[in-house]
Amino acid sequence: MTRAPAQREYFLDSIRAWLMLLGIPFHISLIYSSHMWHVNSIYPSWWLTLFNDAIHAFRMQVFFVISGYFSYMLYLRYPMQRWWTLRVERVGIPMLTAIPLLTLPQFIMLQYVKDKTGEWHALSTYDKFNTLCWELISHLWFLLVLVVLTTIGMWLFKKIKNNAQRFLGAISLGKLSLWFLLFGIVWAVVRRIIVITWPEILRDALFNFAVMQSLFYIPFFLLGALTFINPRLKSLFTTPSPWCAVGSLLAFAAYLLNQHYGNGDAWLYETESIITMLLGLWMVNVVFSLGHRLLNFQSARVTYFVNASLFIYLVHHPLTLLFGAWITPHIQSNLLGFITGLVFVVGVAVLLYEMHLRIPLLRFLFSGKPQEKNAQPQVTTH
């Protein structure tokens, strides 16, 4: 086991925190977009819809690349079983904590907001279970996917480690683009086969989260691991590429056209998988290069939000729904509502974060890390 600390990756810590915190404007703008959500304003805003789509189109792909990067870094420091336990604790404990403390109250609140309490008894046992899975996992889905990818990583990372020399050669963005185009096509084919042979399973929450989402994000998780072991690949992403910038803009335009003209019963999701697979890859270059240039430094303020980002993300969702259900109807301006929502959600989330820091049990439950007595919160890279 090697415990020598790796060189600090401040820009990756910062990028991951920003991607997490982007979930706040993403969900608040969802209220004011033309997309149907749990709560919506009466008059949707076209620019907030565009803003919402821009965040949604790339955010999680880049996030899983960073997750794969740090996961493989830790894989090299610990024995496999210990690594798996640490990783699952770090994501599984906060997920299991958030279900009874956050998403269950959120679900109960929405039943009253939507006036669906009288419909619950009419659902079958499976529909009740499936509805609870959708609603209780909710915005925690990425934590479940990380548990799945970590488990798969026990095999994948061993293969990478045993064949490390094969992954140290030169690689180009063109070759990566072809590979990710292929990955998107494979995912689309798998989904289309399911649509033809067993469409009912796509209604199942656990299948969608644990299988379909995991299959989509495995290439990005693996790319992150390869970026850690291959300095050339890392340099490829941290060096600005005009082609990636232009490609990202074109892919986003294709994403918007597919959203507008696509049909869910036809090929909308399959087409989207191909577009967002490529868009996600190209945005890794855009985000990493910008982050490496602007965020590669140590700062007490940045460190604070890096530490706070997971907690703030976990609590922001019910706060956003609460804002959308009871405050949004009293604000006529979408712009004013969006700004007010940001101030309300961020302000309350930071306040709750400060309160939870003073309770060791809550610090453990929302981080998955054992709390030493009188220890100060430490920045984490995983």
Side-chain angles (χ1 to χ4, degrees):
M1 175 173 60
T2 302
R3 290 193 176 274
Q7 183 178 356
R8 194 82 204 165
E9 301 285 7
Y10 293 112
F11 78 101
L12 290 180
D13 276 334
S14 296
I15 290 171
R16 184 178 54 181
W18 277 109
L19 291 173
M20 194 85 72
L21 295 175
L22 268 178
I24 300 175
F26 168 73
H27 284 115
I28 295 176
S29 64
L30 197 53
I31 297 173
Y32 298 99
S33 73
S34 59
H35 302 302
M36 294 300 297
W37 199 41
H38 299 292
V39 289
N40 289 101
S41 64
I42 298 176
Y43 302 106
S45 165
W46 70 266
W47 71 269
L48 283 171
T49 301
L50 183 65
F51 176 77
N52 182 267
D53 286 334
I55 296 175
H56 182 64
F58 77 92
R59 184 171 69 101
M60 295 312 297
Q61 297 95 306
V62 180
F63 174 84
F64 276 102
V65 171
I66 298 176
S67 295
Y69 184 97
F70 285 131
S71 291
Y72 191 77
M73 180 185 74
L74 289 180
Y75 177 82
L76 297 179
R77 292 175 56 187
Y78 295 99
M80 183 184 294
Q81 188 59 47
R82 176 63 175 157
W83 168 79
W84 183 88
T85 301
L86 283 173
R87 293 297 299 151
V88 171
E89 285 177 350
R90 297 291 169 84
V91 297
I93 292 175
M95 181 182 71
L96 294 176
T97 298
I99 288 175
L101 296 185
L102 298 175
T103 56
L104 179 58
Q106 170 185 288
F107 170 68
I108 295 172
M109 177 189 74
L110 288 175
Q111 295 303 295
Y112 286 94
V113 169
K114 294 182 174 182
D115 195 24
K116 288 188 175 182
T117 54
E119 300 177 9
W120 181 256
H121 72 280
L123 298 177
S124 67
T125 301
Y126 169 76
D127 284 335
K128 289 179 180 178
F129 172 77
N130 193 42
T131 299
L132 285 174
C133 287
W134 280 113
E135 299 295 340
L136 298 188
I137 296 175
S138 184
H139 67 299
L140 314 176
W141 66 268
F142 74 101
L143 297 175
L144 176 59
V145 171
L146 280 174
V147 171
V148 175
L149 295 184
T150 298
T151 303
I152 297 173
M154 296 177 72
W155 176 78
L156 278 178
F157 287 1
K158 183 178 180 181
K159 293 290 186 183
I160 292 174
K161 185 177 181 181
N162 292 341
N163 299 276
Q165 292 300 319
R166 294 177 56 188
F167 301 107
L168 294 177
I171 194 168
S172 67
L173 287 170
K175 290 181 180 178
L176 281 175
S177 298
L178 290 175
W179 274 108
F180 274 73
L181 174 63
L182 178 61
F183 293 145
I185 292 173
V186 169
W187 193 93
V189 169
V190 169
R191 188 183 188 280
R192 182 49 46 174
I193 291 174
I194 294 172
V195 168
I196 295 172
T197 60
W198 194 8
E200 295 82 7
I201 194 64
L202 292 176
R203 291 181 51 245
D204 188 273
L206 288 178
F207 179 81
N208 272 275
F209 292 137
V211 178
M212 297 305 291
Q213 294 282 55
S214 297
L215 285 175
F216 183 83
Y217 288 109
I218 279 177
F220 295 99
F221 191 73
L222 181 59
L223 180 63
L226 296 178
T227 302
F228 180 83
I229 68 173
N230 190 333
R232 297 177 184 176
L233 182 56
K234 183 177 179 180
S235 177
L236 200 64
F237 287 134
T238 55
T239 303
S241 167
W243 293 109
C244 283
V246 172
S248 296
L249 288 174
L250 293 176
F252 181 59
Y255 174 84
L256 293 177
L257 290 172
N258 187 55
Q259 287 285 311
H260 185 75
Y261 295 106
N263 187 313
D265 295 328
W267 292 86
L268 184 146
Y269 298 108
E270 288 82 356
T271 305
E272 181 178 294
S273 71
I274 298 172
I275 295 171
T276 53
M277 191 71 74
L278 287 169
L279 175 59
L281 170 67
W282 296 332
M283 283 301 293
V284 172
N285 173 268
V286 174
V287 174
F288 275 32
S289 59
L290 283 174
H292 190 262
R293 179 180 179 182
L294 303 175
L295 302 173
N296 200 24
F297 60 90
Q298 186 175 16
S299 160
R301 186 176 300 175
V302 171
T303 298
Y304 177 87
F305 280 102
V306 168
N307 286 326
S309 59
L310 176 59
F311 180 91
I312 291 176
Y313 181 82
L314 293 178
V315 302
H316 92 277
H317 199 265
L319 291 174
T320 301
L321 290 172
L322 187 152
F323 173 83
W326 282 293
I327 302 178
T328 293
H330 302 288
I331 303 176
Q332 300 303 313
S333 167
N334 285 337
L335 175 60
L336 179 60
F338 176 71
I339 295 173
T340 304
L342 285 177
V343 173
F344 171 80
V345 172
V346 173
V348 175
V350 170
L351 179 62
L352 291 174
Y353 175 70
E354 286 294 328
M355 293 172 60
H356 113 285
L357 287 179
R358 289 151 178 79
I359 305 173
L361 177 60
L362 287 181
R363 289 206 308 268
F364 165 70
L365 291 175
F366 279 100
S367 69
K369 296 184 290 185
Q371 301 297 309
E372 297 180 8
K373 190 174 182 179
N374 299 325
Q376 295 296 318
Q378 297 294 316
V379 66
T380 179
T381 57
H382 52 283

